[in-house]
Structures are given as structure tokens and as C-alpha cells.
């Protein structure tokens, strides 16, 4: 099996990768993880066909291989024989994907549109609406998806607030962000960003007494 996991929803792609790793382990495969930045195609082929001293087959995980390339290797003499999963940190274009062999499994994971609509509601005047949409998202997606999205969006609002002339984005997007940023003071945005950093830090260290969904609930209620 050769699979490509890609899309802007990294939480979903990582979850799927863990599921595949678990399946490989249950089947007794030796898992080999390679860094796509430094790995050549022939190395992937070699590792995929290797076996351990105990006769175990291999399952190869390659992270970020295709995202750094403009297309499949032109010198690719053959595809790997065995189990290879390519995990990509972003979405690959349809043109790029069309060059892959048809027998490869392509799994695409997108951030739901509701999540972006939720980001547009963030403001001191629409707290209840934001909370409502947040809980709608949680019906289908984990809170771990929402935290980095809010942080990314708040950074954009700070950018527009501080230095709109340097914002390299389409006019319509800049205009929308500018209108949303005007609902906050600079101090409110920086405070919100600091709170997000604290939540992220406590999540990574396991020091928060609350689940992430509850921490974000409190955050949204205080905007």
C-alpha cells in the first residue's frame, strides 16, 4: 500500500497517520520514519522492501516529502514495493496529484468551512454567536483543530491592526480583517494572543486542570 495524506487539516491527517501506524504495528511491521527534507527516492524504495533480522516486513512513514517538491521525481525508476505512507503538512494541488499512479491511495483532509465562519464571528460584540458555532464545530472536530486556527487568525488581526500596509493578501481579505480588527483594541488582541499561548503551553505540558474544549470555552466567553 502506498498512501498520501494531505490537506490543511493537520489534526485530521495526524490522526489518520496514527491510525495507520497502529494498524501496521498490529500486523507486526517494523515502522521506519523518514524526514522528507533529507530523504531521496531510492532510500524510500530500499526501506520499503527491507526486512528485520526476525523477518518482519517494514512500513515506511515519510513526512513532508512531496510538499518540498514541484513534482514526482523525474528519475523514479520504480515505485516502492510494500507499505509507504507520505504525510504532507499542507494540501497538494490536483495537478500535482494527477501525476501519481492511479493505484496510490490519496486521502484529503480539509478544514470545514464552518471553522472559517467561526473565525469571522470573533469579536467582543458577538461572544454568544462565537460560542454557539464553536460547539457546532466540536460535534464533528476536536478542539485541537480550533486552537491553532484561532491563534493564526488573531495574529492576522494584530498584523492588520499594527501594519496594514505590509499585509500581503487580496484586497477583499484585507478589508474583511480590517473591519473585524476595528472591533478590538490593540491591547485586547495582544491579551487574547497571550491567553492562547498560555493555553497551548499548558496543553503541551499537561499542566491544565481543564480539557482544551473547556479552556477555549472560557476564553471565548471573555472576549
Amino acid at each position: 500500500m502506498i498512501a498520501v495524506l494531505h490537506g490543511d487539516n493537520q489534526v485530521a491527517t495526524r490522526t489518520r497517520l496514527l491510525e495507520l501506524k497502529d494498524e501496521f504495528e498490529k500486523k507486526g511491521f517494523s515502522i521506519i520514519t523518514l524526514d522528507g527534507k533529507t530523504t531521496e527516492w531510492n532510500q524510500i524504495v530500499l526501506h520499503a522492501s527491507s526486512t528485520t533480522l526476525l523477518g518482519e516486513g517494514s512500513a515506511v512513514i515519510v513526512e513532508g516529502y512531496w510538499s518540498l517538491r514541484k513534482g514526482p521525481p523525474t528519475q523514479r525508476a520504480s515505485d516502492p514495493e510494500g507499505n509507504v505512507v507520505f504525510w504532507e503538512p499542507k494540501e497538494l494541488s490536483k495537478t500535482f496529484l494527477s501525476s501519481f499512479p492511479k493505484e496510490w491511495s490519496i486521502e484529503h483532509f480539509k478544514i470545514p468551512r464552518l471553522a472559517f465562519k467561526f473565525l469571522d464571528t470573533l469579536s467582543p460584540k458577538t461572544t454568544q454567536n462565537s460560542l454557539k458555532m464553536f460547539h457546532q464545530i466540536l460535534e464533528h472536530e476536536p478542539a485541537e483543530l480550533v486552537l491553532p486556527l484561532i491563534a493564526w487568525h488573531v495574529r492576522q488581526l494584530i498584523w492588520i491592526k499594527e501594519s496594514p500596509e505590509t499585509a500581503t493578501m487580496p484586497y477583499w481579505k484585507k478589508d474583511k480583517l480590517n473591519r473585524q480588527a476595528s472591533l478590538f483594541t490593540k491591547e485586547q488582541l495582544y491579551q487574547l494572543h497571550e491567553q492562547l499561548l498560555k493555553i497551548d503551553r499548558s496543553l503541551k505540558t499537561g499542566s491544565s486542570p481543564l480539557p482544551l474544549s473547556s479552556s477555549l470555552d472560557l476564553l471565548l466567553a471573555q472576549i
Side-chain angles (χ1 to χ4, degrees):
M1 178 197 78
I2 299 180
V4 180
L5 313 180
H6 76 112
D8 55 9
N9 191 340
Q10 285 196 21
V11 172
T13 56
R14 280 293 183 188
T15 299
R16 177 58 176 152
L17 180 61
L18 291 175
E19 290 174 354
L20 289 173
K21 282 185 176 181
D22 187 54
E23 290 178 15
F24 292 142
E25 289 175 349
K26 288 179 180 178
K27 292 178 180 178
F29 289 115
S30 173
I31 297 178
I32 301 169
T33 302
L34 302 174
D35 184 348
K37 296 179 182 178
T38 57
T39 301
E40 298 297 332
W41 184 256
N42 62 339
Q43 293 175 297
I44 298 173
V45 174
L46 179 63
H47 282 296
S49 60
S50 66
T51 57
T52 68
L53 294 175
L54 298 177
E56 298 173 328
S58 298
V60 181
I61 310 297
V62 191
E63 300 198 356
Y65 183 84
W66 301 110
S67 303
L68 299 173
R69 291 162 174 79
K70 295 182 179 179
T74 55
Q75 303 299 320
R76 194 179 76 198
S78 62
D79 288 334
E81 294 182 3
N83 297 294
V84 180
V85 178
F86 293 98
W87 177 86
E88 303 302 327
K90 64 180 183 179
E91 184 173 352
L92 302 178
S93 70
K94 291 182 179 179
T95 302
F96 194 107
L97 293 171
S98 66
S99 62
F100 292 150
K102 292 182 180 180
E103 60 269 21
W104 286 19
S105 174
I106 310 297
E107 300 188 34
H108 185 203
F109 300 85
K110 285 189 68 66
I111 293 174
R113 290 185 179 180
L114 181 62
F116 292 107
K117 291 182 179 179
F118 157 74
L119 295 176
D120 291 338
T121 68
L122 297 178
S123 84
K125 297 182 179 180
T126 55
T127 299
Q128 292 304 315
N129 192 24
S130 297
L131 283 167
K132 180 180 178 180
M133 294 189 74
F134 173 57
H135 285 279
Q136 288 175 345
I137 294 171
L138 292 183
E139 293 176 5
H140 306 283
E141 302 289 342
E144 285 77 8
L145 169 70
V146 182
L147 175 60
L149 286 178
I150 298 177
W152 165 74
H153 195 68
V154 170
R155 286 195 296 271
Q156 286 201 314
L157 292 174
I158 291 174
W159 186 11
I160 288 293
K161 194 80 168 177
E162 290 281 15
S163 185
E165 68 281 358
T166 65
T168 52
M169 59 185 69
Y171 173 79
W172 62 268
K173 184 175 182 180
K174 184 185 292 188
D175 185 57
K176 185 170 71 171
L177 285 171
N178 190 52
R179 281 186 273 111
Q180 188 176 9
S182 68
L183 301 175
F184 294 87
T185 64
K186 289 182 182 180
E187 291 72 21
Q188 286 175 320
L189 287 173
Y190 278 112
Q191 183 179 14
L192 180 55
H193 189 259
E194 179 62 27
Q195 289 174 312
L196 287 164
L197 287 175
K198 289 180 179 179
I199 292 174
D200 182 57
R201 198 175 297 119
S202 64
L203 177 66
K204 291 177 178 176
T205 59
S207 59
S208 174
L210 299 173
L212 179 57
S213 58
S214 298
S215 295
L216 291 177
D217 252 338
L218 292 173
L219 175 74
L220 294 172
Q222 295 171 6
I223 289 180

